[in-house]
Amino acid sequence: MELKRKDLLDIKGLDREEIELILDTAESFKEVTGREIKKVPTLRGKTVVNLFFEPSTRTRTSFEIAAKRLSADVINFSVSGSSVSKGETLLDTARNIEAMRADFIIIRHPASGAPHILARNLRSSVINAGDGLHEHPTQALLDMFTIRERKGKIEGLTVAIIGDIAHSRVARSNIYGLTRMGARVRVAGPPALIPAEVETLGVSVFYDMEEALSGADVIMVLRIQLERQGKNYFPTLREFARLYCLTQERAGHAKGDAMIMHPGPVNRGIEISPEVADGLSSVILEQVTNGVAVRMAVLYLLSGSGEI
Amino acid sequence: MELKRKDLLDIKGLDREEIELILDTAESFKEVTGREIKKVPTLRGKTVVNLFFEPSTRTRTSFEIAAKRLSADVINFSVSGSSVSKGETLLDTARNIEAMRADFIIIRHPASGAPHILARNLRSSVINAGDGLHEHPTQALLDMFTIRERKGKIEGLTVAIIGDIAHSRVARSNIYGLTRMGARVRVAGPPALIPAEVETLGVSVFYDMEEALSGADVIMVLRIQLERQGKNYFPTLREFARLYCLTQERAGHAKGDAMIMHPGPVNRGIEISPEVADGLSSVILEQVTNGVAVRMAVLYLLSGSGEI
Amino acid sequence: MELKRKDLLDIKGLDREEIELILDTAESFKEVTGREIKKVPTLRGKTVVNLFFEPSTRTRTSFEIAAKRLSADVINFSVSGSSVSKGETLLDTARNIEAMRADFIIIRHPASGAPHILARNLRSSVINAGDGLHEHPTQALLDMFTIRERKGKIEGLTVAIIGDIAHSRVARSNIYGLTRMGARVRVAGPPALIPAEVETLGVSVFYDMEEALSGADVIMVLRIQLERQGKNYFPTLREFARLYCLTQERAGHAKGDAMIMHPGPVNRGIEISPEVADGLSSVILEQVTNGVAVRMAVLYLLSGSGEI
């Protein structure tokens, strides 16, 4: 079984069968990561390069653990102190990595579309680990995995995504994925943080938290990028928290068995209260666990290897 | 054989049998690191995360080599550029690492007690690689290993620890360990750098170098933290060196076969003269070699794995 | 088969048989890196430490990939945040790494001769990954490998090295190696960037690009170190590019089948035009591929291991 593609660049381009194949495969790998010896020889002798142009120890670590549990060799290519600072272009850097016979290049980059440029120009498989304001496909896949695992399905569920929709590649990838899988997606946040054209993606827009949460099966809270404060479109943190922080009381407007998600790292008391983040309905740490399994599945399926 | 504990947080909490078990096990691993192929499959499929909040390439490298020689997968989780700088709490960071199914979290942190917080809250085994001014247990274990290897025993030996006792977690861990193993421990240094209550730990205090060294079997020189200069309690370096630098002549006051130790990195000419650091009685590099073996032993014993 | 030496410090000290042995061995390893499973167990249980005192992700990555494909354990010893910043001497740092039973120390250092100091004092094998303005031997070996692979031989070829000869350890190592292998070597660049005594190394000097290129089999373009601008001896970049940038038209003065090399990273439009860097005669990316094979060969031959 394999994905009939060389790269994983975005969720927008995946069809429902592909998403299901990834989620099904991740189930097998989640079983592997629960074993005493959490390792399979699937990618032995393959080289995986983490090419990160933005700091992100969490995502990089998740990919690194996934690759090592598949027995691949992993190289962390740090940008500070690299030839990038010597004026080399992104594509030259990536072509050099390819020339060392990297099988996979996992890239995070502040420019939307950077992974697509690599994918078009390289034989190595390229995996997008977050590009600008565009997409973060493995995050959406692990979110869908977590929803399906908890709820048994995605189709027909109501998912409310809360926060800074406009600047969130996590929101974007989830909107593409969840609507494709048949969920009803709502987005809610301050008007300045809702992109103008977002309804065209098949979601409904709410500016009132309680309305957005009413009857939701899944609440997905986005991380507030603290560094955006002071920009014109952004309210003060206190104002944001007053209106949109997911408190126990607000969460009560969703269904009784609603699950609560957050891509991390959490700003406690800003977008989510500590009680909710640590509460029984929270699956935040389960998302982290599932992230490793989903990334193992993506690496495996793109490699075209025969057996797990 | 295993330690009946999940974590290694300090020496204070270890009894004599536990210390002996670790030292005995380290002997086997020292033999492994002397082989042509310095590797055993003991921790294959286990994940070890180095979570360092203070710079320390030496200790991190020692743990990394130890884990790799046990065939574990090792992840270096660097703090700069991580989500810690995005405002995540220590415990949230650690819970995320645990959620990726880390078997071991090795933590160095400027706050005393940080490893204990993790240990109480996580299922992963936590190893303290130095916390604030509190403890540095694997350093004391490798020091005790080195003493026992040279002297055949620890009980009954006179050990003089010299320097900035007040700010040294190495001194603290060694005081707990050496007194528990039956050594007589002396501490010496400028009055401002000797903690007020230190005799209650079972040591004798000296302000005069020669008295402290007289008849000692072991001289343990502490590293002067150059960054503490200019603080009120700290004399000038020149003044410190004049009174407390371990010179050949001063070392002559100890027993003829006294061994000389230093946890590194050495400030030559400040706390120890180059002749002494590089002399025949110095075991400074042997300490480094033994550090890898002791850390292999700790990882192995905490893992509860059956065979080496 | 093995090199009868413990270290690889420079090309100057290698005889022709040794260079040929390394290039022949690299051929076998290039075959390995083209396999589905790019890994051999040759250095299993060996420890390789990358000790880099200058930023260089590319060279470090090439060595790291080479060592991992030989199944060694690799440790990256970063200088920032290490005990070097705590005032430890280079030799103390290296002795500590040796004491952890490192089989190989790969060092890059801004001071010429630093690797030689380690080699004289340590039992570990030391590989020079670039020292000051002195040598960069594995770069010259991969360059010679690439020439021999393309041209079938090195002897009798005319090689033109273009650019800042005075400050290039790549030029220096190539001059030693290529002349030893029987090539005719020309150097060309602005007068201030040609070292006074360079003819004594057996090369001919040109100040005019077209003369230097006329009839050349190989054009080796050096990287301009942008950070040297503003120094007295250095012309403006615009002036340099006008006179010495390798354009399509200038390359036309060389032989019709001349191959074009660059050690990377490329400054497009400064020392080489994009058309030439990406053209059919360019072997720049092949050099990168061959770098991994050559470094595998060097590690293997220094290890004295029996079989590949």
Side-chain angles (χ1 to χ4, degrees):
Chain A
M1 253 180 342
E2 60 182 287
L3 281 170
K4 282 179 187 42
R5 45 178 76 237
K6 177 174 78 71
D7 313 292
L8 179 69
L9 302 177
D10 50 39
I11 298 291
K12 191 180 185 184
L14 293 183
D15 64 29
R16 191 163 170 157
E17 286 66 36
E18 289 176 303
I19 293 173
E20 279 171 351
L21 173 59
I22 296 169
L23 304 190
D24 292 347
T25 308
E27 270 183 30
S28 310
F29 284 115
K30 184 161 184 184
E31 185 268 318
V32 168
T33 68
R35 290 184 200 162
E36 184 70 13
I37 294 183
K38 297 180 289 291
K39 197 152 181 157
V40 287
T42 316
L43 295 190
R44 212 176 69 80
K46 305 286 189 190
T47 302
V48 173
V49 176
N50 277 321
L51 179 59
F52 273 57
F53 293 84
E54 284 182 352
S56 169
T57 310
R58 292 158 51 105
T59 302
R60 195 262 299 156
T61 297
S62 181
F63 272 110
E64 185 174 351
I65 289 179
K68 286 183 168 170
R69 289 192 183 153
L70 293 166
S71 300
D73 291 324
V74 183
I75 307 288
N76 290 313
F77 197 102
S78 74
V79 170
S80 70
S82 86
S83 43
V84 173
S85 65
K86 297 183 187 167
E88 195 180 34
T89 67
L90 166 66
L91 194 51
D92 277 345
T93 299
R95 278 192 178 125
N96 270 278
I97 293 171
E98 177 192 39
M100 296 183 203
R101 306 261 192 264
D103 299 281
F104 293 91
I105 298 179
I106 297 166
I107 179 174
R108 167 162 291 196
H109 199 281
S112 302
H116 303 68
I117 295 176
L118 300 200
R120 272 197 302 278
N121 285 280
L122 305 181
R123 285 180 310 271
S124 308
S125 282
V126 176
I127 299 176
N128 181 1
D131 64 323
L133 300 180
H134 178 231
E135 282 227 32
H136 188 356
T138 56
Q139 177 70 42
L141 287 164
L142 75 89
D143 289 338
M144 291 190 279
F145 182 93
T146 307
I147 294 171
R148 200 181 75 161
E149 188 179 51
R150 269 289 166 117
K151 297 292 185 187
K153 61 169 185 179
I154 297 173
E155 178 135 32
L157 296 181
T158 298
V159 181
I161 307 178
I162 312 292
D164 179 359
I165 310 293
H167 302 97
S168 172
R169 53 195 179 202
V170 174
R172 226 174 156 77
S173 287
N174 266 301
I175 289 170
Y176 288 127
L178 290 166
T179 55
R180 181 124 325 145
M181 297 303 285
R184 279 181 301 271
V185 179
R186 302 169 175 177
V187 300
L193 299 180
I194 305 283
E197 83 302 353
V198 72
E199 288 95 340
T200 65
L201 301 179
V203 306
S204 33
V205 175
F206 296 76
Y207 302 107
D208 179 84
M209 246 321 236
E210 296 179 5
E211 278 180 51
L213 295 177
S214 168
D217 299 285
V218 179
I219 309 174
M220 191 178 283
V221 181
L222 300 176
R223 172 180 166 74
I224 283 297
Q225 314 280 320
L226 300 182
E227 59 276 21
R228 295 201 196 282
Q229 281 184 80
K231 303 274 173 82
N232 269 342
Y233 50 78
F234 202 87
T236 64
L237 282 185
R238 180 179 302 187
E239 181 70 5
F240 179 87
R242 194 179 62 79
L243 291 169
Y244 295 99
C245 180
L246 187 69
T247 58
Q248 203 79 308
E249 193 238 313
R250 280 182 180 140
H253 290 268
K255 284 199 184 152
D257 62 349
M259 59 193 279
I260 290 164
M261 310 181 77
H262 187 295
V266 165
N267 298 305
R268 293 166 173 270
I270 298 177
E271 70 262 7
I272 191 167
S273 77
E275 299 75 41
V276 176
D278 301 330
L280 286 174
S281 305
S282 165
V283 295
I284 296 177
L285 291 172
E286 199 65 26
Q287 290 171 270
V288 176
T289 300
N290 295 337
V292 176
V294 160
R295 287 168 181 128
M296 289 174 82
V298 168
L299 286 163
Y300 164 72
L301 289 168
L302 292 178
S303 76
S305 298
E307 35 171 339
I308 294 187
Chain B
M1 254 179 343
E2 61 182 284
L3 282 170
K4 282 178 187 43
R5 43 177 78 236
K6 178 173 79 72
D7 313 292
L8 179 69
L9 302 177
D10 50 39
I11 298 291
K12 191 179 184 183
L14 294 184
D15 63 31
R16 192 164 168 155
E17 286 65 38
E18 288 176 302
I19 293 173
E20 278 171 350
L21 173 60
I22 295 171
L23 303 190
D24 292 346
T25 308
E27 269 184 31
S28 311
F29 283 117
K30 185 162 184 184
E31 185 270 317
V32 169
T33 70
R35 290 184 199 162
E36 186 68 14
I37 295 183
K38 298 180 288 292
K39 198 156 180 155
V40 286
T42 316
L43 295 190
R44 214 176 68 79
K46 304 285 187 190
T47 302
V48 174
V49 176
N50 276 321
L51 178 60
F52 272 57
F53 292 82
E54 285 182 352
S56 170
T57 309
R58 292 160 49 106
T59 303
R60 196 263 299 155
T61 297
S62 181
F63 273 111
E64 185 173 352
I65 288 179
K68 285 182 169 171
R69 290 193 182 151
L70 293 167
S71 300
D73 292 323
V74 183
I75 306 289
N76 289 314
F77 197 102
S78 74
V79 169
S80 69
S82 85
S83 43
V84 173
S85 66
K86 296 182 186 169
E88 194 180 33
T89 67
L90 167 65
L91 193 52
D92 277 345
T93 299
R95 277 191 177 126
N96 271 278
I97 293 170
E98 176 192 41
M100 296 182 201
R101 307 260 191 262
D103 299 282
F104 294 91
I105 298 179
I106 296 165
I107 180 174
R108 168 163 290 195
H109 199 282
S112 301
H116 304 68
I117 295 176
L118 299 201
R120 272 198 301 278
N121 285 280
L122 305 181
R123 285 180 308 270
S124 308
S125 281
V126 176
I127 298 176
N128 180 3
D131 63 324
L133 300 181
H134 177 232
E135 282 227 35
H136 188 356
T138 57
Q139 177 70 42
L141 287 164
L142 74 90
D143 289 337
M144 289 190 278
F145 182 92
T146 306
I147 294 171
R148 199 180 76 161
E149 188 179 52
R150 271 288 168 120
K151 297 291 183 189
K153 60 170 187 180
I154 297 173
E155 178 134 33
L157 297 180
T158 298
V159 182
I161 307 179
I162 311 291
D164 181 359
I165 310 293
H167 302 96
S168 172
R169 54 196 178 202
V170 173
R172 225 176 156 75
S173 286
N174 266 301
I175 289 169
Y176 288 127
L178 290 166
T179 54
R180 180 126 326 147
M181 298 302 285
R184 279 182 299 271
V185 179
R186 303 170 176 178
V187 300
L193 300 180
I194 305 283
E197 84 299 355
V198 73
E199 288 95 341
T200 65
L201 302 179
V203 307
S204 33
V205 176
F206 295 77
Y207 301 108
D208 178 83
M209 246 320 236
E210 297 177 8
E211 277 181 52
L213 296 177
S214 169
D217 299 285
V218 179
I219 309 174
M220 191 178 281
V221 181
L222 299 176
R223 172 182 167 72
I224 283 298
Q225 315 278 323
L226 300 182
E227 60 274 22
R228 295 200 197 282
Q229 281 184 77
K231 305 271 175 86
N232 269 344
Y233 51 80
F234 201 87
T236 65
L237 282 186
R238 180 178 302 183
E239 181 70 3
F240 180 86
R242 192 177 64 79
L243 291 169
Y244 296 99
C245 180
L246 187 68
T247 58
Q248 203 79 309
E249 194 237 313
R250 280 182 180 141
H253 291 270
K255 284 202 186 149
D257 63 347
M259 59 192 281
I260 291 164
M261 312 181 74
H262 188 295
V266 165
N267 298 305
R268 292 167 172 270
I270 297 178
E271 71 262 9
I272 191 166
S273 78
E275 298 75 41
V276 176
D278 301 331
L280 286 175
S281 305
S282 166
V283 296
I284 297 178
L285 292 172
E286 199 63 27
Q287 289 172 271
V288 176
T289 301
N290 294 339
V292 175
V294 161
R295 286 167 182 128
M296 289 174 82
V298 168
L299 286 164
Y300 164 72
L301 289 168
L302 292 178
S303 78
S305 298
E307 34 171 340
I308 294 186
Chain C
M1 253 177 345
E2 59 182 285
L3 281 170
K4 284 179 186 41
R5 44 177 77 238
K6 177 174 79 73
D7 314 291
L8 179 68
L9 301 177
D10 50 39
I11 298 291
K12 191 180 184 184
L14 294 184
D15 63 29
R16 191 161 169 159
E17 286 64 39
E18 289 176 302
I19 294 174
E20 278 170 352
L21 173 59
I22 296 170
L23 303 190
D24 292 347
T25 308
E27 270 184 30
S28 310
F29 284 117
K30 184 162 185 184
E31 186 268 318
V32 168
T33 69
R35 290 184 200 161
E36 185 68 15
I37 295 183
K38 297 180 290 291
K39 196 153 183 158
V40 288
T42 315
L43 295 190
R44 212 175 70 79
K46 305 285 188 191
T47 301
V48 174
V49 175
N50 277 320
L51 178 60
F52 273 57
F53 292 84
E54 286 182 350
S56 169
T57 310
R58 292 159 50 104
T59 302
R60 195 262 300 157
T61 297
S62 181
F63 272 110
E64 184 173 352
I65 289 179
K68 287 183 168 170
R69 289 191 183 152
L70 293 166
S71 300
D73 291 323
V74 184
I75 306 289
N76 290 313
F77 197 102
S78 74
V79 170
S80 68
S82 86
S83 42
V84 174
S85 66
K86 295 184 190 167
E88 195 180 33
T89 68
L90 166 64
L91 193 52
D92 276 344
T93 299
R95 279 192 176 124
N96 271 278
I97 293 171
E98 177 193 40
M100 296 182 203
R101 306 260 193 262
D103 299 281
F104 294 92
I105 297 180
I106 297 165
I107 178 173
R108 167 163 290 196
H109 199 281
S112 303
H116 303 67
I117 295 175
L118 300 200
R120 270 198 302 278
N121 286 280
L122 305 182
R123 285 180 308 270
S124 309
S125 282
V126 176
I127 298 175
N128 180 1
D131 63 323
L133 301 180
H134 177 233
E135 283 227 34
H136 189 355
T138 57
Q139 178 69 43
L141 289 165
L142 74 89
D143 289 339
M144 290 189 276
F145 182 94
T146 308
I147 294 171
R148 199 179 78 160
E149 188 179 52
R150 268 289 167 120
K151 296 294 184 186
K153 58 168 187 182
I154 297 173
E155 176 132 36
L157 296 180
T158 298
V159 181
I161 308 179
I162 311 291
D164 180 358
I165 310 293
H167 302 95
S168 172
R169 55 195 177 201
V170 175
R172 224 175 157 75
S173 286
N174 266 299
I175 288 170
Y176 287 126
L178 290 166
T179 55
R180 179 127 325 150
M181 298 300 286
R184 279 182 299 273
V185 178
R186 302 168 176 178
V187 301
L193 300 181
I194 305 283
E197 83 302 353
V198 73
E199 289 96 340
T200 64
L201 301 180
V203 307
S204 33
V205 175
F206 295 77
Y207 302 108
D208 179 82
M209 249 316 239
E210 296 178 6
E211 278 180 52
L213 295 177
S214 170
D217 298 285
V218 179
I219 309 174
M220 192 178 281
V221 181
L222 299 176
R223 172 181 166 73
I224 284 297
Q225 314 279 323
L226 301 181
E227 58 276 21
R228 295 200 195 283
Q229 282 184 81
K231 304 273 173 87
N232 270 342
Y233 51 80
F234 201 86
T236 64
L237 282 185
R238 180 179 302 185
E239 181 70 4
F240 179 87
R242 193 178 63 78
L243 291 168
Y244 294 99
C245 181
L246 186 70
T247 59
Q248 203 78 309
E249 195 236 316
R250 282 183 179 139
H253 290 270
K255 285 202 184 149
D257 63 348
M259 59 193 279
I260 291 163
M261 311 181 75
H262 188 294
V266 165
N267 298 304
R268 293 166 172 270
I270 297 178
E271 71 262 8
I272 191 167
S273 77
E275 298 76 41
V276 176
D278 301 331
L280 288 175
S281 304
S282 165
V283 296
I284 296 176
L285 292 173
E286 199 64 25
Q287 289 171 271
V288 176
T289 301
N290 294 338
V292 176
V294 160
R295 287 169 181 128
M296 290 173 81
V298 168
L299 287 164
Y300 164 71
L301 289 167
L302 292 179
S303 77
S305 298
E307 36 171 337
I308 296 187

